[in-house]
Every structure is written in C-alpha cells, then in structure tokens.
Amino acid sequence: MLQRAYPYTRMRRSRSSEWSRRLIAENTLTVNDLVWPIFLIDGEGKTEDIASMPGVQRYTIDKLIPAVEEAIKLGIPAIAPFPYTRDDLRDEKASQADDPNSLVCRMIREVKKNFGSDIGVICDVALDPYTSHGHDGLVINGEVANDQTVDVLVRQALVQAEAGCDILAPSDMMDGRIGAIREALEENGFHNTQIMSYAAKYASKFYGPFRDAIGSKGALKGGSKATYQQDPSNGDESLHEVALDLEEGADAVMVKPGMPYLDVISCVKKEFNVPVFAYQVSGEYAMLKAAIENGWLDDEVLFESLLCFKRAGTDGIFTYLAIEMAKKLSTIR
Ligand code: PBG
C-alpha cells in the first residue's frame, strides 16, 4: 500500500457529498437483477393472501396475466412460478410433476401465448409441491430415493420445456440430476433451454413461510430434508456441489438461502466466474416485513437487503420484493 496514512488519507473525504458517494459506488442494484417468484392456485378469478408472507399472494392463472404484464412494464427480466397443488392431486408418486396439464405447465403456456419472449420463465424442478409427504423426491423404503427421483425429475423437466419454460431450475438436491436433465434436453432438441441449478442449497429453517405458501409444510409433518439438502455448517461442500453441477451442464448456479449465506455466494463467484444467482427466501422476506410492520426497521432496509447480494457477487436475485423494488428503483437515480 503506497498511500500515506492520516491526515494525508482521510476516508471521509470521498464520502462528504452525495454526488461523490454515487461516483465511487462499487455496486448498483437495477431491475435487471430481479427475478419474481410467484405462487399459483387452481381455479379462476381468485387471489389468496399468505399469512406468513404479508403482501405476497397466490394467483389463479387468469389473475396472474395482468400481474405478469405489470412485471414486464417494470422491466423485470424473469418470473419463477411455484404451484399450490390441490390436496386431492398430491400423491406418493408426485403424479402432477410430469403431467403436461399441471397448473405450472398451463401457466407457462398462457404466459408464453400472451407475452412470448418479453419475459423469461424459470421453473423449479423438484417434487415437493406434488408429493403427499412433502419431500422433494420419491420416498422408497423410508428413504428419499435418489436415482428413481432423478427419472421423474427428467420427465418433469421435459414437460416444462415442452410447455415453453426458458430456464429449468432443479432445486431438489438429488445427485446427478443436472447431467440427466441436460442429456434429455439435448436428445429432445431443447438445445437452448437453460439450466440454473440450485447447486448450493441448505437444509434451512428459513424456508418455513414458503412451505405454507405451497402447502407442503403440513405434508412434511416436521420431517427434515437433511439427507439431501446441505448442512448449514458447511462452506467448502458448496464449491464441490457447484463444480459437479457445472461439469454436468448447468448454465448458471444458485445459492440458497441468501443473506445468511453471502460468504458462500462470494466464494462461488470468485472460484468459478459463472453466472451466480441467490434466493432471498421466504423467511428472509417474512423477517424484514415483520420488523418493518412493527416499526422496528425502516423500509429502506429492503434496498440494502438486496444490494448486499450484488456486493457478494450475484448476477441476479430471486426475491418476493421484485415488484415493490422495481417500482422504487424506477424513482432512484
Ligand atoms: C422446493 C423449494 C423450496 C424453496 C424453493 N424451492 C423449499 C424447500 O426446499 O423446502 C424455498 C423458497 C423460499 O423459502 O422462499 N424444492
């Protein structure tokens, strides 16, 4: 370091006015960074509130179309649909997962019919919205069975690609699923369907409100996903997971949850230099909203909660704040 210390160097000099702070800013948040996760329900003309996620709703497909139109007008690049499956359609085999007429597939077709390539559609590949037990895979002899689950995930990926999904995002954490899905996509002519792998996904308590939103919490009955999702104490293991998924053909990788795992995001970006995404998950959203509603935090904390992902090295962020933040960003210079 050649710089001479105080008083020649005063760190506060460049912070002394607003224009100067803007000029030296290392990172910015723009609407191009935001992915909007959306919850779906069957039926028509309905929206439903989710108690543990204030301000977030489930939409029927017809109600969703104007909401997606608004997202496009705001400049949001992509949406990520998650279905709330009717109880009578959940079963041991996750039958809805590879049904071309599932709620998600119908929604993809409707969004693509209305908006074409004006917005990207990123679909989860995992079985938890569809299984009667709430696990992301098939349970065989009391265990979440890896290879049998991968077969179903491949079929799920293909029906979603066929319906027009732009990016498949496997969030199930089975081993070998990225390679199996990539191979099936190539064989079936889906050369340009991208894969964004939830490569580093932790067994986290921060997913609680999401499981309310898709109705899998009751099904899971307190059961743990620790045999397939990662132990929160591990960091190096994430680099191993990411390396494998890239080798198997992932175009982009995800770290999840977000804010408690910024160290992991930063290591992944530095090590691999590939597109890295983060998911500001339901529990992070619920914490922030609850504190703001109680007057314990100022709502400007929301911007900070997303900007920190950029500093850590993410290229994009899944956030339930996407619409709210896109509106705010259009007024911030
Ligand atoms: C399911 C899935 C989960 C989330 C996204 N996809 C939950 C889980 O793994 O139990 C969580 C998202 C959130 O909490 O906002 N495969």
Side-chain angles (χ1 to χ4, degrees):
M1 195 59 148
L2 291 170
Q3 214 168 13
R4 294 179 69 187
Y6 174 87
Y8 305 98
T9 297
R10 287 180 185 267
M11 293 303 284
R12 293 183 55 190
R13 247 179 238 133
S14 50
R15 293 178 197 145
S16 60
S17 50
E18 197 257 352
W19 64 263
S20 176
R21 291 192 292 274
R22 274 195 285 133
L23 195 60
I24 63 160
E26 294 175 41
N27 294 286
T28 45
L29 178 72
T30 79
V31 70
N32 297 330
D33 299 313
L34 305 175
V35 176
W36 184 31
I38 307 175
F39 297 111
L40 307 173
I41 34 163
D42 234 334
E44 252 178 71
K46 267 197 309 188
T47 55
E48 283 175 4
D49 291 337
I50 300 157
S52 52
M53 300 181 75
V56 175
Q57 292 183 312
R58 303 185 190 97
Y59 298 82
T60 53
I61 295 174
D62 59 324
K63 284 282 192 184
L64 185 71
I65 296 300
V68 174
E69 190 168 10
E70 185 188 20
I72 295 170
K73 287 203 177 114
L74 287 166
I76 291 175
I79 53 173
F82 293 94
Y84 180 101
T85 306
R86 279 186 357 229
D87 273 351
D88 59 307
L89 293 177
R90 290 177 206 248
D91 59 25
E92 289 273 318
K93 295 190 308 216
S95 305
Q96 284 293 297
D98 59 354
D99 184 333
N101 282 318
S102 69
L103 185 52
V104 166
C105 288
R106 282 183 276 132
M107 180 239 142
I108 304 169
R109 283 194 292 270
E110 204 54 31
V111 167
K112 286 293 154 187
K113 190 178 89 194
N114 280 274
F115 307 114
S117 58
D118 291 347
I119 195 156
V121 177
I122 305 178
C123 287
D124 217 59
V125 182
L127 306 186
D128 54 316
Y130 311 112
T131 50
S132 41
H133 44 68
H135 277 293
D136 292 30
L138 301 176
V139 175
I140 300 173
N141 298 329
E143 278 178 19
V144 175
N146 194 85
D147 299 6
Q148 291 92 330
T149 298
V150 171
D151 292 342
V152 185
L153 296 172
V154 167
R155 295 202 299 273
Q156 180 183 21
L158 285 174
V159 296
Q160 293 186 150
E162 182 73 52
C165 169
D166 300 292
I167 304 184
L168 294 160
S171 72
D172 55 285
M173 291 299 278
M174 297 302 119
D175 288 317
R177 88 282 206 217
I178 302 298
I181 292 171
R182 186 72 265 167
E183 197 178 299
L185 290 173
E186 290 297 321
E187 272 170 12
N188 287 276
F190 296 110
H191 309 298
N192 286 326
T193 305
Q194 300 177 43
I195 299 180
M196 179 190 294
S197 154
Y198 284 67
K201 178 170 177 182
Y202 287 86
S204 173
K205 293 293 174 205
F206 282 102
Y207 307 147
F210 173 95
R211 293 178 189 168
D212 291 334
I214 68 158
S216 68
K217 190 186 228 159
L220 203 55
K221 296 190 183 76
S224 148
K225 298 193 177 186
T227 69
Y228 44 106
Q229 298 177 349
Q230 292 173 243
D231 182 335
S233 78
N234 297 349
D236 292 345
E237 187 185 32
S238 283
L239 301 181
H240 195 170
E241 283 281 4
V242 168
L244 292 170
D245 286 0
L246 289 173
E247 199 185 319
E248 289 178 35
D251 301 283
V253 293
M254 162 99 79
V255 174
K256 181 181 172 192
M259 209 151 73
Y261 296 83
L262 292 177
D263 58 321
V264 177
I265 294 169
S266 171
C267 290
V268 168
K269 188 63 175 184
K270 286 203 181 101
E271 184 78 19
F272 298 99
N273 294 305
V274 296
V276 177
F277 287 77
Y279 202 135
Q280 181 181 53
V281 300
S282 56
E284 298 174 61
Y285 174 89
M287 274 192 316
L288 291 165
K289 284 289 176 181
I292 292 167
E293 278 182 11
N294 276 290
W296 298 336
L297 285 175
D298 187 284
D299 77 348
E300 297 214 357
V301 74
L302 298 177
F303 179 80
E304 185 181 334
S305 79
L306 293 168
L307 182 63
C308 67
F309 287 105
K310 296 301 298 291
R311 191 190 63 241
T314 47
D315 297 283
I317 309 149
F318 284 54
T319 174
Y320 302 99
L321 297 166
I323 294 281
E324 181 177 347
M325 204 41 66
K327 286 181 185 160
K328 280 215 181 97
L329 288 171
S330 63
T331 64
I332 296 176
R333 45 175 183 179

